[in-house]
Amino acid sequence: MNWFNVRKLFIRELLGQLRDRRTIFTTVLLPVMIYPVLGLVMMQVAQFVTENSSKVVFVGQYSFSEFPELIQHDPTSAVLDGELQLPDALLSVVAEEFPEHATVDGVQQSLQQRLDSKEFDAALILSPQFHEYLQYLKAAVESGRSAREELEKLDPSEIPGPVIVYNSVADKSKIARARISNLLEHWEERVRDTLFELGNLPSGVATPIALQLDDIAPEESQAAEFWASMIPIMLLLWTLSGAFYPAVDLCAGEKERGTLETLLCGPAKRVEIVTGKLLTVMCFSFATSLANLVAIAFTGVFMISKVMPVGSDLHAKLGVFPGWSILWSLVVLIPLVAMFSALALAAATFARSSKEGQYYMMPLLMLALPLSMISVMPNVELDLGTSLIPVAGSALLLRNLVESQFDVALRFAIPVMASSAFCCYLTVRWATFQFNSEAVLFRESEKWDIRLWVRQLFRNKPILPTGGMAIFAAISILMLRYIASASATTPETYQDFVFDNSLSLVLTVGVPAILVACLLTRSPASALRLKMPSLSILGIAIVLPFLLHPSVIWLGEAIQYLYPINPGMKAATAGLEQMLGTAPLYAMLIAIAFVPGVFEELAFRGIILTGLEKDARPSSAIFVSAAFFGITHGILQQSLNAFVIGILLGYVAVRCGSLIPTIIMHILHNGITVILSREGTADAISGLLIDHNGGKIYSPAVAVIGALVAIVLLVILHKITKSHDVDPVPESESPQGVYG
Amino acid sequence: MIVVENLRKSYPDLEFDEVKAVDGVSFRCEPGQIFGLLGPNGAGKTTVLRTLATLLKPTSGRATIAGFDVETQAEQVRRNIGFVSNNTSNYDRMSAREMVEFFGRLHGMPEEALQQRAQLVYQQLQMTEFLEVSGGKMSTGMKQKVSIARAIIHNPPVLIFDEATVGLDVLVGRSLQDTVLELKEQGKCILYSTHHMREVERVCDQIAIMHNGKILCEGTQQQLREKYMQDDLEDVFFELMDQQSAAEGVV
């Protein structure tokens, strides 16, 4: 790659974008303007909301001769048009008599109807019985010791308390209820104090335990909580949208305007063009983040503290803005900016026009949003596990920085950066791939006829499956697995388990793979890699699972350490494990080793890997097929383990060009796990085991030696097999309709 | 200079399984010669030229430009050609001068040489009056001149014009043809595709008539007229089309 060319291209693209008013508006001006405007609007709305009093009806007498008043008449309260205005409590009260000879139920019913017709927001019933009860309480307290016996005779459910009639679905009614409750709570305190006074008890008896809280979180962290949860999400979303608009203009827009072809027939290499464009998109994405942060900071530091009075509700909720020090958290954004920019660039390259490009924004947002939302979920903290999750790790790191928890942030900065850098590398690779594909660059609108397509699919079958068929098979399997797991019931006997598990695997994994191979390819056996390998390969395939089993078990341990299985799931599977422990060994070997070993291999290393290998480089095909293999395992911890194993199996399948070795490895690996989990069987190899977390595990030395010997065998395997060179851009990928 | 041997390019197609956009095309074009590719829309001219400009990879066959293979030495090929097509536009937000000089710099021209060459090209193409006008505000004629200037700024030995006169008025079209003839005088090897007979008659030395991805006939204007016993090149063209349709009907 010629960096001089990249620089020239970068400068040109940057100038081009800077001369475009729309880009400048969406990436810089919009974010700068939006916060102050939003802040002002929010303050206006907040005032508007809080100044509205709730209209409520009090049925029954609400003043009590010997008790404190329910409504304390402060100087601001007034009677207007028959309504008692209570500005402090934000209530506007209409008082009504409790109808004579009416029951509480009857009054309740009539109030419900009136509430339905929106006559008021909520109602409070203070029945005559409640008055009597208060009098009774007072008399009982005054009469001294005998009062306790009197009170003990009362059934608490029969005490006629005040009743609030409201509608929890209507917001206004809910607010009114809260305000009435608030009023009642304050009144209850005063009534209690009065009763204590009458009974000659000190008021401290009412609250015998005076709890004191000692919060050790630094003041700046406490105060910045609101900002700490908001800033990462806002920044991530703006980083993505800041990347998206220039990317669409630089790729889809250039295609539309015809300048991309001018550039492509120029002297620069494709990779230089991609890099130049990527740097430009990154620049804008970063500028958007920076503009955002400055705008948030401005709004936070100046507007909120100046406009909102200190001590007000809203001010307390928003807390103190963490200050300008958060600007350095932009460093965290660099790998994210690169990743989002490459993603946006790849999506925009794929699009034929700017309009189509805009359509791809939503799926990308849908991908990024849930990941960034992880940072605001309760109980989710930055640790080694979460730091490795793309986007989410960065959001959590940002959160810690904003909260000034620098020690935690520093500890996990490297894993976050490493994970982001890896994702960034993958997305850049994808973008470059898009840019090298004739089919993508010269794609033109073509009429797609499903009838012709189906006819073509069956009439001109390829010998081997295509990448499209592989993806189709993988997605079908994923969907079928999802349906199967959603409709599965907990097995009651081991026979149920063996039958259900095997049948579900055959139907959801095996059948789709075999159907795709038989119906859509000319050589199903080649599509599924059903070919006998040499004896030496078979020998290696038999030995490898024994050598690698300790490492895989340790890998599982490491994964569980990073992402602990939640206790609920552990408890749920414990019963099943216990039941399966008593099942005959042959049944478990069929259900857990044999059936998955054969059918998962037919699908993932068979049709899916073969298809992917036809349209992509072997390494990418192995990676993607392993990812699908991992995802179908459902539980995150198992998925990660399966992903790593999938890469190894994929490598063996590609090198040997045969599925037999991987079927053997898969069956043996699962079989060893089943056998060792049986009561007493582990004793046979007790010399290889150590105590670990209340159980037994291979000693690390065994794992290391096993892995080293396995590596030697894999090197031998590499030497004795030929790489199956597949043209990365085969004929079938060429576009339609580019001829003149 | 341009050598094309049995070049093929095909795409999968839902209806016909496979469309052969270019089906075994061979020709040569020497320096100081204008080779015309004449054919109706959809004949495969653009696919041939895009393959020569390394934008597409051939399905089979071989093509070299200035001795470099279009498939394996794409970068060297692009350094030796100037490609003007109605699909290659100019940047709207760049002035004529910026556009031309950007491509010159991309070709690695030293600043001084670039300025000298640029002045020459601007005068040759009579561009001096609109050098500072941005692409979006240019007339079609101005845009075409900038395209040519962009394609010849690095003084390449080979030039490819793909239906470059489409959408131009008679005056601008004529001026473009004059430029092409001037470039021929400078010893350039020029490949010129069009579907206008008159243009071919005026500028091309050697002509190949393309239809359905194949070259139906090739020769000088004189040779074609004599072979098909027609005075007018347009009559030659229609004669060939008729023969082709009859042959396809028989098949």
Side-chain angles (χ1 to χ4, degrees):
Chain A
M1 190 157 59
N2 181 343
W3 283 99
F4 287 107
N5 274 354
V6 173
R7 199 181 62 134
K8 286 169 210 154
L9 285 159
F10 167 63
I11 293 171
R12 198 225 74 76
E13 305 287 16
L14 196 66
L15 271 178
Q17 288 302 305
L18 286 173
R19 288 174 182 173
D20 183 14
R21 275 170 297 176
R22 287 167 309 169
T23 316
I24 297 294
F25 178 76
T26 44
T27 52
V28 183
L29 286 181
L30 188 68
V32 168
M33 280 160 27
I34 204 160
Y35 295 103
V37 173
L38 260 182
L40 282 173
V41 170
M42 264 170 62
M43 273 187 278
Q44 293 300 328
V45 171
Q47 277 173 13
F48 179 69
V49 170
T50 48
E51 276 176 2
N52 265 344
S53 289
S54 301
K55 190 174 178 187
V56 296
V57 171
F58 283 7
V59 180
Q61 200 187 334
Y62 61 81
S63 62
F64 307 87
S65 51
E66 287 161 44
F67 281 102
E69 294 286 315
L70 170 61
I71 295 168
Q72 284 180 309
H73 286 274
D74 56 71
T76 49
S77 64
V79 179
L80 281 175
D81 300 329
E83 288 179 13
L84 179 61
Q85 305 293 326
L86 304 172
D88 276 7
L90 286 167
L91 286 171
S92 170
V93 181
V94 175
E96 289 181 8
E97 292 283 319
F98 195 92
E100 261 185 78
H101 311 300
T103 61
V104 174
D105 284 348
V107 173
Q108 235 171 302
Q109 271 175 15
S110 89
L111 286 172
Q112 280 165 10
Q113 282 169 7
R114 288 168 62 194
L115 182 62
D116 262 346
S117 62
K118 306 241 163 26
E119 202 182 310
F120 46 79
D121 298 325
L124 174 70
I125 308 173
L126 299 151
S127 63
Q129 291 85 346
F130 171 60
H131 276 256
E132 285 164 22
Y133 170 68
L134 278 184
Q135 295 301 328
Y136 167 77
L137 263 186
K138 182 173 159 259
V141 171
E142 279 172 339
S143 65
R145 183 160 286 278
S146 59
R148 192 185 299 161
E149 289 154 21
E150 286 288 316
L151 285 173
E152 275 172 0
K153 284 181 204 158
L154 279 177
D155 180 354
S157 66
E158 284 172 8
I159 298 173
V163 180
I164 299 177
V165 181
Y166 78 108
N167 178 1
S168 67
V169 183
D171 282 342
K172 278 176 104 178
S173 187
K174 251 173 29 186
I175 293 168
R177 184 206 69 93
R179 288 172 181 168
I180 300 174
S181 301
N182 197 22
L183 196 70
L184 285 171
E185 271 167 32
H186 285 111
W187 181 59
E188 189 190 2
E189 277 173 26
R190 299 201 300 276
V191 169
R192 195 171 47 214
D193 288 348
T194 311
L195 288 171
F196 275 50
E197 222 171 277
L198 289 170
N200 279 330
L201 286 167
S203 60
V205 175
T207 48
I209 298 168
L211 187 65
Q212 284 189 353
L213 296 170
D214 178 16
D215 187 353
I216 62 150
E219 228 164 78
E220 59 268 32
S221 308
Q222 291 175 36
E225 206 194 330
F226 167 80
W227 299 99
S229 55
M230 195 193 78
I231 290 176
I233 294 186
M234 296 302 281
L235 278 188
L236 289 178
L237 293 182
W238 276 108
T239 307
L240 182 58
S241 66
F244 209 82
Y245 290 103
V248 166
D249 190 62
L250 285 178
C251 296
E254 284 213 25
K255 262 192 208 179
E256 216 169 21
R257 295 189 292 269
T259 46
L260 192 62
E261 197 163 324
T262 314
L263 197 57
L264 290 174
C265 65
K269 284 183 192 164
R270 301 269 162 102
V271 63
E272 292 162 3
I273 297 175
V274 178
T275 315
K277 285 186 186 291
L278 181 69
L279 288 175
T280 313
V281 175
M282 279 176 68
C283 242
F284 275 89
S285 173
F286 198 73
T288 310
S289 317
L290 186 69
N292 255 283
L293 211 53
V294 172
I296 295 179
F298 177 79
T299 316
V301 172
F302 295 107
M303 291 194 57
I304 290 178
S305 56
K306 295 278 187 297
V307 181
M308 239 179 274
V310 179
S312 71
D313 261 9
L314 206 57
H315 192 276
K317 265 185 204 154
L318 294 177
V320 181
F321 186 76
W324 298 97
S325 65
I326 59 157
L327 278 180
W328 77 268
S329 65
L330 281 171
V331 178
V332 178
L333 278 180
I334 294 174
L336 262 186
V337 161
M339 186 177 102
F340 282 156
S341 302
L343 258 180
L345 202 66
T349 310
F350 190 73
R352 276 177 290 239
S353 63
S354 306
K355 190 178 144 205
E356 190 183 325
Q358 306 287 351
Y359 291 154
Y360 299 143
M361 170 96 174
M362 209 24 141
L364 285 187
L365 265 181
M366 295 307 285
L367 199 76
L369 196 61
L371 286 173
S372 52
M373 289 299 274
I374 291 178
S375 71
V376 287
M377 275 161 66
N379 294 329
V380 176
E381 283 180 354
L382 186 61
D383 53 32
L384 192 56
T386 50
S387 65
L388 292 175
I389 306 172
V391 185
S394 308
L396 283 165
L397 183 61
L398 274 175
R399 194 193 159 121
N400 277 285
L401 287 174
V402 177
E403 281 176 348
S404 313
Q405 298 191 13
F406 297 111
D407 51 335
V408 184
L410 269 181
R411 208 171 339 140
F412 297 109
I414 290 174
V416 169
M417 293 294 199
S419 152
S420 301
F422 180 66
C423 290
C424 176
Y425 165 75
L426 288 182
T427 43
V428 170
R429 279 275 301 271
W430 186 44
T432 317
F433 173 79
Q434 295 279 318
F435 237 88
N436 275 322
S437 164
E438 275 178 22
V440 170
L441 287 179
F442 297 101
R443 219 159 54 100
E444 282 172 22
S445 312
E446 70 243 14
K447 206 177 105 206
W448 192 73
D449 185 329
I450 188 159
R451 197 174 44 83
L452 287 176
W453 182 75
V454 171
R455 199 183 67 181
Q456 164 92 356
L457 201 61
F458 290 101
R459 196 178 54 185
N460 287 337
K461 294 181 194 173
I463 297 172
L464 293 177
T466 60
M469 290 178 195
I471 300 283
F472 169 73
I475 290 176
S476 307
I477 289 171
L478 277 182
M479 282 166 61
L480 289 169
R481 291 299 295 162
Y482 175 74
I483 295 169
S485 65
S487 57
T489 50
T490 314
E492 284 174 8
T493 61
Y494 78 84
Q495 287 96 335
D496 284 352
F497 172 80
V498 172
F499 184 75
D500 293 354
N501 202 44
S502 307
L503 187 70
S504 133
L505 259 174
V506 172
L507 290 181
T508 60
V509 179
V511 171
I514 294 167
L515 277 182
V516 170
C518 292
L519 295 178
L520 303 180
T521 69
R522 264 186 284 162
S523 171
S526 316
L528 297 170
R529 294 183 200 260
L530 297 177
K531 192 182 94 180
M532 205 56 193
S534 67
L535 281 177
S536 47
I537 290 177
L538 280 180
I540 292 175
I542 292 171
V543 182
L544 271 178
F546 290 95
L547 293 171
L548 285 171
H549 196 256
S551 311
V552 175
I553 298 293
W554 271 107
L555 174 71
E557 277 299 305
I559 291 170
Q560 284 204 28
Y561 171 76
L562 283 182
Y563 305 99
I565 296 180
N566 76 47
M569 190 178 285
K570 240 181 194 167
T573 53
L576 183 70
E577 272 174 24
Q578 206 174 6
M579 181 184 77
L580 298 182
T582 59
L585 184 61
Y586 77 88
M588 285 300 95
L589 286 176
I590 289 174
I592 294 176
F594 185 73
V595 175
V598 173
F599 293 98
E600 287 182 351
E601 288 311 306
L602 282 176
F604 295 101
R605 259 63 65 184
I607 199 87
I608 295 174
L609 181 58
T610 314
L612 291 170
E613 208 188 341
K614 196 172 166 191
D615 283 359
R617 274 192 286 201
S619 56
S620 310
I622 293 171
F623 186 84
V624 176
S625 73
F628 277 120
F629 181 55
I631 296 168
T632 43
H633 281 71
I635 302 165
L636 175 75
Q637 292 79 2
Q638 280 185 14
S639 294
L640 290 172
N641 209 333
F643 171 70
V644 178
I645 296 174
I647 287 185
L648 176 73
L649 290 173
Y651 170 76
V652 173
V654 166
R655 290 304 299 188
C656 305
S658 166
L659 207 63
I660 311 294
T662 65
I663 292 180
I664 293 174
M665 286 169 71
H666 200 146
I667 293 179
L668 281 176
H669 172 77
N670 289 15
I672 297 167
T673 313
V674 169
I675 291 171
L676 288 183
S677 68
R678 311 292 290 188
E679 200 70 34
T681 45
D683 296 347
I685 53 159
S686 57
L688 304 177
L689 306 178
I690 54 163
D691 291 321
H692 176 74
N693 282 351
K696 294 266 182 192
I697 194 165
Y698 290 101
S699 79
V702 170
V704 171
I705 293 168
L708 287 176
V709 180
I711 289 170
V712 172
L713 283 183
L714 284 169
V715 171
I716 294 172
L717 182 98
H718 190 91
K719 290 250 154 84
I720 60 175
T721 51
K722 276 186 290 185
S723 71
H724 298 261
D725 288 326
V726 180
D727 183 4
V729 186
E731 196 185 315
S732 59
E733 211 205 345
S734 300
Q736 296 183 18
V738 288
Y739 38 87
Chain B
M1 247 323 160
I2 301 176
V3 182
V4 178
E5 288 166 358
N6 205 16
L7 192 74
R8 288 174 203 276
K9 179 75 184 174
S10 48
Y11 309 104
D13 184 84
L14 287 183
E15 195 162 2
F16 308 106
D17 302 337
E18 189 186 44
V19 168
K20 290 174 180 162
V22 178
D23 190 9
V25 165
S26 304
F27 62 85
R28 289 177 75 90
C29 178
E30 303 295 337
Q33 188 188 41
I34 302 180
F35 188 95
L37 266 184
L38 180 67
N41 290 334
K45 305 185 297 288
T46 297
T47 308
V48 171
L49 301 190
R50 274 182 169 166
T51 310
L52 293 179
T54 76
L55 295 170
L56 299 174
K57 280 193 163 62
T59 306
S60 67
R62 191 164 176 267
T64 55
I65 288 182
F68 298 111
D69 189 290
V70 294
E71 203 175 351
T72 55
Q73 294 167 301
E75 209 187 328
Q76 287 95 323
V77 168
R78 287 201 298 273
R79 290 198 176 279
N80 281 286
I81 60 165
F83 185 67
V84 179
S85 136
N86 58 348
N87 294 317
T88 51
S89 313
N90 306 320
Y91 292 109
D92 280 351
R93 299 186 286 261
M94 253 181 152
S95 70
R97 184 198 298 278
E98 285 172 330
M99 176 84 189
V100 174
E101 290 175 12
F102 164 65
F103 274 89
R105 290 190 188 103
L106 216 49
H107 276 287
M109 295 174 77
E111 204 51 40
E112 204 175 328
L114 171 66
Q115 290 308 329
Q116 277 177 8
R117 170 78 186 155
Q119 291 311 320
L120 197 72
V121 169
Y122 297 150
Q123 276 164 14
Q124 194 182 348
L125 293 169
Q126 295 167 343
M127 286 171 63
T128 39
E129 280 177 17
F130 60 90
L131 281 178
E132 307 308 329
V133 176
S134 65
K137 291 177 182 159
M138 284 181 202
S139 69
T140 318
M142 290 176 182
K143 282 180 184 164
Q144 199 58 290
K145 283 185 176 176
V146 177
S147 278
I148 298 171
R150 183 262 305 158
I152 62 170
I153 182 71
H154 57 298
N155 205 6
V158 175
L159 286 162
I160 300 173
F161 291 87
D162 180 21
E163 309 216 354
T165 51
V166 169
L168 300 184
D169 64 35
V170 192
L171 279 175
V172 181
R174 179 96 183 173
S175 133
L176 185 134
Q177 291 164 22
D178 291 342
T179 309
V180 172
L181 288 169
E182 270 175 45
L183 289 165
K184 174 191 158 187
E185 294 307 316
Q186 292 169 18
K188 306 285 181 199
C189 167
I190 298 169
L191 191 54
Y192 190 94
S193 102
T194 179
H195 53 259
H196 289 301
M197 310 295 155
R198 297 286 162 257
E199 265 180 61
V200 175
E201 284 176 343
R202 183 155 183 262
V203 296
C204 298
D205 306 310
Q206 190 81 6
I207 300 160
I209 296 181
M210 266 192 95
H211 183 59
N212 281 348
K214 290 191 174 84
I215 289 184
L216 300 182
C217 67
E218 192 197 320
T220 61
Q221 293 185 37
Q222 192 60 32
Q223 285 168 339
L224 292 180
R225 283 195 196 102
E226 281 168 9
K227 186 175 174 188
Y228 294 93
M229 290 179 289
Q230 301 282 0
D231 288 340
D232 193 351
L233 201 57
E234 197 163 288
D235 294 332
V236 173
F237 181 76
F238 284 114
E239 164 90 25
L240 270 167
M241 290 297 124
D242 287 344
Q243 282 179 14
Q244 185 70 14
S245 307
E248 280 166 8
V250 170
V251 171

